Coordinates of all heavy atoms in Angstrom, one line a residue:
P54 N 6.9 5.1 16.2 CA 6.6 4.5 17.4 C 7.1 5.0 18.7 O 6.5 5.0 19.7 CB 6.9 3.0 17.3 CG 7.8 2.9 16.1 CD 7.6 4.2 15.2
L55 N 8.4 5.6 18.6 CA 8.9 6.2 19.7 C 8.2 7.5 20.2 O 8.1 7.7 21.4 CB 10.4 6.5 19.5 CG 11.5 5.5 19.9 CD1 12.9 5.9 19.5 CD2 11.5 5.2 21.4
V56 N 7.9 8.3 19.3 CA 7.1 9.5 19.6 C 5.9 9.1 20.0 O 5.3 9.9 21.0 CB 7.1 10.4 18.2 CG1 6.5 11.7 18.4 CG2 8.4 10.5 17.5
F57 N 5.3 8.1 19.6 CA 3.9 7.7 20.1 C 4.1 7.3 21.6 O 3.3 7.7 22.5 CB 3.4 6.5 19.2 CG 2.0 6.0 19.5 CD1 1.0 6.8 19.8 CD2 1.8 4.6 19.8 CE1 -0.4 6.3 20.1 CE2 0.5 4.1 20.0 CZ -0.5 4.9 20.2
A58 N 5.1 6.4 21.8 CA 5.3 5.8 23.1 C 5.7 6.9 24.2 O 5.3 6.9 25.3 CB 6.3 4.8 23.0
A59 N 6.3 7.9 23.7 CA 6.8 8.9 24.6 C 5.7 9.9 25.2 O 5.9 10.6 26.1 CB 7.8 9.8 23.8
I60 N 4.5 9.7 24.6 CA 3.4 10.6 25.1 C 3.1 10.3 26.6 O 2.9 11.3 27.4 CB 2.0 10.3 24.3 CG1 2.1 10.7 22.9 CG2 0.8 11.0 25.0 CD1 1.0 10.2 22.0
A61 N 3.2 9.1 26.9 CA 3.0 8.8 28.4 C 4.0 9.2 29.3 O 3.8 9.1 30.6 CB 2.7 7.3 28.5
D62 N 5.2 9.7 28.9 CA 6.4 10.2 29.7 C 6.2 11.6 30.1 O 6.9 12.0 31.0 CB 7.7 10.0 28.9 CG 8.0 8.6 28.4 OD1 7.6 7.7 29.3 OD2 8.8 8.3 27.6
G63 N 5.2 12.2 29.5 CA 4.9 13.6 29.8 C 4.6 13.8 31.3 O 3.9 13.0 31.9
L64 N 5.1 14.9 31.9 CA 4.9 15.0 33.3 C 3.7 15.7 33.8 O 3.4 15.6 35.0 CB 6.2 15.9 33.9 CG 7.6 15.1 33.8 CD1 8.7 15.9 34.1 CD2 7.5 13.7 34.4
T65 N 3.1 16.5 32.8 CA 1.9 17.1 33.3 C 0.8 17.0 32.2 O 1.2 16.7 30.9 CB 2.1 18.8 33.5 OG1 2.5 19.2 32.2 CG2 3.2 19.0 34.5
P66 N -0.4 17.3 32.4 CA -1.4 17.2 31.4 C -1.0 18.3 30.1 O -1.3 17.8 29.0 CB -2.7 17.8 31.9 CG -2.6 17.4 33.4 CD -1.1 17.6 33.7
H67 N -0.4 19.3 30.4 CA 0.0 20.3 29.4 C 1.1 19.6 28.6 O 1.0 19.5 27.3 CB 0.4 21.6 30.0 CG 1.0 22.5 29.0 ND1 1.7 23.6 29.4 CD2 0.8 22.7 27.7 CE1 2.1 24.3 28.2 NE2 1.6 23.7 27.3
D68 N 2.1 19.1 29.3 CA 3.2 18.5 28.6 C 2.7 17.3 27.6 O 3.0 17.1 26.6 CB 4.1 18.0 29.7 CG 5.4 17.3 29.1 OD1 5.7 17.4 28.0 OD2 6.2 16.6 29.9
R69 N 1.7 16.4 28.2 CA 1.2 15.4 27.4 C 0.5 15.9 26.2 O 0.6 15.3 25.1 CB 0.4 14.4 28.2 CG 1.2 13.7 29.3 CD 0.6 12.6 30.0 NE -0.2 13.1 31.0 CZ 0.0 13.4 32.2 NH1 1.3 13.3 32.8 NH2 -0.9 13.9 33.2
M70 N -0.4 16.9 26.3 CA -1.0 17.5 25.1 C 0.0 17.9 24.1 O -0.2 17.7 22.9 CB -2.0 18.6 25.5 CG -2.6 19.3 24.4 SD -3.5 18.1 23.2 CE -5.2 18.5 23.7
E71 N 1.1 18.6 24.5 CA 2.0 18.9 23.5 C 2.8 17.7 22.9 O 2.9 17.8 21.6 CB 3.2 19.7 24.2 CG 4.2 20.4 23.2 CD 5.2 21.3 23.8 OE1 6.0 20.8 24.7 OE2 5.2 22.5 23.6

Side-chain angles (χ1 to χ4, degrees):
L55 264 177
V56 185
F57 182 52
I60 293 170
D62 298 337
L64 295 175
T65 61
H67 176 200
D68 183 8
R69 289 187 290 272
M70 176 52 108
E71 188 176 65

